[in-house]
């Protein structure tokens, strides 16, 4: 028995070391694999483009950086977004979106809500609190808590925006020369409501202001663009949309089925967004809504956030993203196009948030005026936020 106990102790010790090694090394490896910025030489930026870029108020509707085990207050070698890189890219406002469920075998065509959930494995592997392991609501709240902690530890360099007053304060401070970046909290799909409308109040109280209805699968609000039923809004979905409309939040139609998007637009009178996408007539893929639906979003005063990855632009270089932006302007008009990078959303990009001056250069190269560039890079986003955020 003494020998058996000795060997059992050794086995348990080795198992413990292997588990510790997995928890230490696996999450960064997954992050590095999923969120690649392709190696490239520095993009040339003219003095004219740099001066214009430095004068802009820049905002991005979508980054999933809170999903990953990173300190966003320091420069990381993984992914595309952290505070030092946002500062280097002159970003004034960044939306950080909580991802709470992602089905295995992820694709743009059809995903079952019953598939194995990758975020469960990620939450456990990254040692998120046990309350998050089986609750989508708690995963959303935990990611909000992470951003609040980053704000507290940032020495004033990161400010969470909850109200119009917060937004104006960030912009005024930047105008006076302060180094401060505004952050908004969003959610990728409303399944964390877990079928209870009262949970929307909890998310709003936690600071969430951009509310997506679906992600990659159908949920209890309605169909996903990548689900199996192509359904419209359910009764619960209509109630959620009405509650979003009545609150100080922005409704995001990215990933919703075309039926959900069309029906939701019929309910609301305030601007809605499609936070990270492309233009179908420019890049004909299922991930992009047909142009007619995008025009309806714009008709309601909303904006289209153009993504930075190849699946939606058909070319992820700065020139390719600029071409997608120009195509979007041709379809919906210059007042309804903005940025929706999808940084750190398990996509490959050709430039990170520190390199956005290369996009300004590319927008000049495709013939946009300084005024058009200012609208796309941030002014259109600010208009929507001012229309929706509470006082």
């Amino acid at each position: 028995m003494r020998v058996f106990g000795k060997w059992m102790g050794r086995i348990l010790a080795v198992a413990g070391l292997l588990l510790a090694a997995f928890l230490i090394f696996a999450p960064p490896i997954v992050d590095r694999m999923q969120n690649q910025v392709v190696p490239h030489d520095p993009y040339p930026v003219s003095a004219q483009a740099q001066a214009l870029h430095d004068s802009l108020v820049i905002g991005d509707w979508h980054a999933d950086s809170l999903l990953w085990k990173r300190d966003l207050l320091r420069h990381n070698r993984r992914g595309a977004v952290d505070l030092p890189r946002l500062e280097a890219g002159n970003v004034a406002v960044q939306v950080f979106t909580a991802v709470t469920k992602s089905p295995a075998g992820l694709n743009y065509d059809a995903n079952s809500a019953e598939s194995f959930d990758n975020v469960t494995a990620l939450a456990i592997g990254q040692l998120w609190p046990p309350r998050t392991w089986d609750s989508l609501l708690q995963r959303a709240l935990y990611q909000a808590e992470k951003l609040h902690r980053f704000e507290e530890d940032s020495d004033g360099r990161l400010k969470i925006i909850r109200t119009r007053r917060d937004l104006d304060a960030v912009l005024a401070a930047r105008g006076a020369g302060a180094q401060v970046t505004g952050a908004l909290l969003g959610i990728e799909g409303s399944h964390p409501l877990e079928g209870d409308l009262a949970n929307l109040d909890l998310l709003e109280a936690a600071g969430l202001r951009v509310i997506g209805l679906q992600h990659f699968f159908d949920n209890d609000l309605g169909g996903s663009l990548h689900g199996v039923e192509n359904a419209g809004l359910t009764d619960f979905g209509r109630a959620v949309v009405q509650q979003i409309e009545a609150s100080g939040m922005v409704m995001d139609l990215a990933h919703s089925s075309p039926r959900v998007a069309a029906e939701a637009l019929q309910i609301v009178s305030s601007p809605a967004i499609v936070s990270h996408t492309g233009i179908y007539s420019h890049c004909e893929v299922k991930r992009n809504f047909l142009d007619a639906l995008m025009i309806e979003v714009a008709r309601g005063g909303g904006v289209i956030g153009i993504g930075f990855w190849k699946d939606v632009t058909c070319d992820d270089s700065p020139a390719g993203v600029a071409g997608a932006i120009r195509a979007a302007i041709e379809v919906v008009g210059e007042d309804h196009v903005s940025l929706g990078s999808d940084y750190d959303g398990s996509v490959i990009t050709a430039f990170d948030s520190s390199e956005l001056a290369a996009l300004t250069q590319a927008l000049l190269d495709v013939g946009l005026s300084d005024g058009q560039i200012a609208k796309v890079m941030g002014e259109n986003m600010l208009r929507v936020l001012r229309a929706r955020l509470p006082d």
Side-chain angles (χ1 to χ4, degrees):
M1 288 296 294
R2 185 176 298 175
V3 172
F4 175 79
K6 183 185 296 184
W7 277 104
M8 182 57 66
R10 290 174 179 174
I11 291 170
L12 291 174
V14 170
L17 288 173
L18 290 174
L19 177 61
F22 172 81
L23 294 174
I24 291 170
F25 294 111
I29 290 171
V30 173
D31 184 1
R32 188 173 291 110
M33 291 173 57
Q34 293 296 312
N35 301 301
Q36 298 180 40
V37 179
V38 296
H40 58 272
D41 294 330
Y43 295 108
V45 178
S46 68
Q48 174 196 2
Q50 188 65 60
L52 173 60
H53 187 80
D54 292 342
S55 74
L56 299 173
V57 176
I58 299 170
D60 174 27
W61 281 112
H62 199 92
D64 294 332
S65 313
L66 294 173
L67 181 62
W68 308 100
K69 190 175 183 179
R70 294 188 220 147
D71 180 356
L72 295 182
L73 298 183
R74 67 178 183 83
H75 189 280
N76 289 272
R77 290 184 293 176
R78 305 193 304 273
V81 172
D82 48 52
L83 185 56
R85 283 185 281 184
L86 291 172
E87 292 170 345
N90 192 34
V91 176
V93 179
Q94 178 65 59
V95 176
F96 291 95
T97 311
V99 180
T100 60
K101 183 174 178 178
S102 179
L106 199 69
N107 64 87
Y108 291 134
D109 294 320
N111 300 273
S112 170
E114 307 306 316
S115 298
F116 175 81
D117 172 37
N118 292 321
V119 178
T120 298
L122 198 62
I124 295 171
Q126 294 186 146
L127 297 180
W128 287 12
R131 62 184 168 90
T132 68
W133 296 359
D134 61 356
S135 169
L136 303 187
L137 174 63
Q138 291 301 321
R139 291 177 192 177
L141 294 174
Y142 174 66
Q143 289 175 72
E145 291 164 10
K146 287 176 67 175
L147 189 63
H148 282 278
R149 286 196 296 270
F150 288 136
E151 178 188 40
E152 292 168 3
D153 296 339
S154 71
D155 295 325
R157 291 165 55 206
L158 184 70
K159 292 290 186 180
I160 295 176
I161 295 170
R162 303 165 184 81
T163 65
R164 282 195 295 271
R165 185 175 300 176
D166 293 339
L167 175 62
D168 290 340
V170 166
L171 297 179
R174 289 177 62 87
Q179 188 173 63
V180 57
T181 302
L184 283 104
L185 279 160
I187 195 163
E188 188 129 51
S190 291
H191 25 280
L193 297 179
E194 298 178 343
D196 186 348
L197 192 59
N199 285 334
L200 188 59
D201 295 331
L202 293 179
L203 295 176
E204 185 177 12
L208 278 83
R209 293 296 181 267
V210 180
I211 308 296
L213 302 183
Q214 279 80 30
H215 196 201
F216 268 92
F217 51 91
D218 302 330
N219 62 19
D220 51 11
L221 283 77
S224 165
L225 181 62
H226 327 288
V228 295
E229 295 183 0
N230 192 34
L233 286 169
T234 63
D235 290 342
F236 180 64
R238 281 187 282 274
V240 171
V241 170
Q242 290 166 351
Q243 182 78 358
I244 292 171
E245 171 79 351
S247 71
M249 295 186 283
V250 180
M251 182 175 68
D252 182 8
L253 300 174
H255 294 294
S256 293
S257 73
R259 285 186 60 193
V260 162
E263 291 172 8
L265 290 172
Q266 291 296 314
I267 294 172
V268 302
S269 58
S270 60
I273 67 169
V274 185
S275 64
H276 54 304
T277 188
I279 294 295
Y280 186 83
S281 58
H282 176 75
C283 186
E284 296 185 2
V285 294
K286 184 178 180 181
R287 178 62 179 76
N288 297 334
F289 285 152
L290 296 180
D291 290 10
L293 186 51
M294 294 297 203
I295 291 169
E296 289 303 311
V297 173
R299 187 169 288 140
V303 297
I304 313 304
I306 298 300
F308 293 177
W309 77 106
K310 188 177 294 186
D311 290 345
V312 296
T313 61
C314 291
D315 180 349
D316 59 4
S317 68
V321 175
I325 288 171
R326 184 179 64 179
I329 289 174
E330 292 170 354
V331 171
V332 300
E334 64 187 48
D335 295 324
H336 303 286
V337 183
S338 53
L339 306 182
S341 66
D342 201 21
Y343 277 146
D344 296 335
S346 297
V347 297
I348 297 172
T349 60
F351 54 97
D352 68 18
S353 54
S354 72
E355 301 176 283
L356 287 172
L359 180 57
T360 299
Q361 177 69 67
L363 291 170
L364 286 170
D365 292 343
V366 298
L368 268 62
S369 68
D370 289 5
Q372 289 175 314
I373 293 171
K375 288 181 178 182
V376 167
M377 295 294 274
E379 289 179 3
N380 292 336
M381 179 186 193
L382 296 182
R383 172 180 58 78
V384 172
L385 290 175
R386 287 195 170 106
R388 293 301 298 144
L389 290 176
D391 294 332

